[in-house]
Amino acid sequence: MNTKRIFLILLVFQSYWAAIGAQNLFTTAEMAKANTAANATYLSDDEKQVVLYMNLARLDGERFFKSFIPGYILENNAVYTPKISSNNKYLTSLKTDLYKVKNLQMMVPHKPLSLAAQYHAKDMGRKGSTGHDSSDGTACFKRIERFFPKMGCAAENCSYGEMSPLSVVCQLLLDDCVPSLGHRINILNPSMAMVGVGIAPHKTYKSNCVTDFSCDAPEADRNEINSDLHPNQSD
């Protein structure tokens, strides 16, 4: 990805962060490192940004928390009740967990996982449903396997009602009222190396985002992972 494009993306993000009172503590080089989906032609801009923000949390959890979580809480509390207080146990545990995260591998976009995620996001959106199983009863991992037969370990996150990529990732990391913290665990799992993203309109919640994860593939599958990525360009 060329330097000019990174700079333009940063300007857009900084305008948003300023509007919600947040301050991005990541450098241009770190943003570029985390932006592994920049040239994935099968992802929308919002889907690419979901990958970016998840990778930033994996790159440096403490700086992610300081950069984005306070702004997300302010934004959330302006719209939803009950409000998230400063002593909310999910918020305090998120701070503890993120402060331990440093330099995890960057997840790379994967087309078959993205097709599985996009299928499910559209399916749930049309039906106004929630959950991991398809509307026809197909189990989550059976659906993913249809698109990615060679998958190893796998996991899935579903988010509803959030209207920006950053809010999607913050919601899933916070995992408010989710005792298992399963969404947070998936995003911060060091073993996860590949990710697919699908965002679609939702009949009930306006928008829903599905992210499907998998551990690293055998070397023979690496070309499949990156088959739709254009070579990086530089000035």
Side-chain angles (χ1 to χ4, degrees), residues 31-105:
M31 294 285 291
K33 179 179 180 179
N35 202 19
T36 58
N39 297 317
T41 58
Y42 48 86
L43 296 177
S44 69
D45 287 345
D46 280 354
E47 289 164 348
K48 294 174 184 179
Q49 288 180 36
V50 170
V51 178
L52 167 66
Y53 285 119
M54 290 192 294
N55 276 337
L56 287 176
R58 292 166 67 88
L59 182 63
D60 191 314
E62 179 177 353
R63 279 190 286 156
F64 184 94
F65 187 95
K66 291 177 178 178
S67 294
F68 307 123
I69 297 300
Y72 170 73
I73 299 301
L74 287 173
E75 190 178 51
N76 181 88
N77 287 349
V79 177
Y80 300 108
T81 54
K83 299 184 185 302
I84 300 169
S85 66
S86 59
N87 63 351
N88 176 290
K89 67 178 183 180
Y90 295 96
L91 180 59
T92 56
S93 73
L94 175 61
K95 183 176 181 179
T96 298
D97 288 347
L98 280 178
Y99 273 46
K100 297 175 184 175
V101 175
K102 188 82 169 179
N103 292 325
L104 299 182
Q105 65 176 326

Side-chain angles (χ1 to χ4, degrees), residues 74-217:
L74 287 173
E75 190 178 51
N76 181 88
N77 287 349
V79 177
Y80 300 108
T81 54
K83 299 184 185 302
I84 300 169
S85 66
S86 59
N87 63 351
N88 176 290
K89 67 178 183 180
Y90 295 96
L91 180 59
T92 56
S93 73
L94 175 61
K95 183 176 181 179
T96 298
D97 288 347
L98 280 178
Y99 273 46
K100 297 175 184 175
V101 175
K102 188 82 169 179
N103 292 325
L104 299 182
Q105 65 176 326
M106 297 292 90
M107 295 185 292
V108 297
H110 185 255
K111 186 173 184 179
L113 287 173
S114 294
L115 293 175
Q118 290 159 5
Y119 176 91
H120 192 55
K122 291 174 183 177
D123 182 32
M124 293 294 98
R126 284 193 299 266
K127 300 292 184 179
S129 302
T130 62
H132 295 283
D133 292 345
S134 300
S135 61
D136 64 1
T138 301
C140 169
F141 296 115
K142 285 291 184 183
R143 166 177 40 85
I144 297 173
E145 192 175 30
R146 287 177 180 173
F147 294 91
F148 186 27
K150 297 178 183 179
M151 72 173 183
C153 69
E156 181 173 82
N157 285 351
C158 298
S159 167
Y160 305 93
E162 298 291 355
M163 303 307 292
S164 76
L166 176 57
S167 295
V168 166
V169 175
C170 289
Q171 179 198 55
L172 293 168
L173 283 169
L174 180 62
D175 250 0
D176 192 33
C177 298
V178 182
S180 70
L181 301 179
H183 306 103
R184 183 190 305 176
I185 290 169
N186 288 339
I187 294 173
L188 302 179
N189 185 339
S191 297
M192 294 305 177
M194 301 179 295
V195 63
V197 185
I199 297 176
H202 195 279
K203 186 177 179 180
T204 304
Y205 295 104
K206 294 186 179 180
S207 179
N208 77 131
C209 176
V210 178
T211 45
D212 287 334
F213 307 86
S214 186
C215 301
D216 208 357

Side-chain angles (χ1 to χ4, degrees), residues 25-37:
L25 300 177
F26 291 94
T27 67
T28 303
E30 288 170 330
M31 294 285 291
K33 179 179 180 179
N35 202 19
T36 58

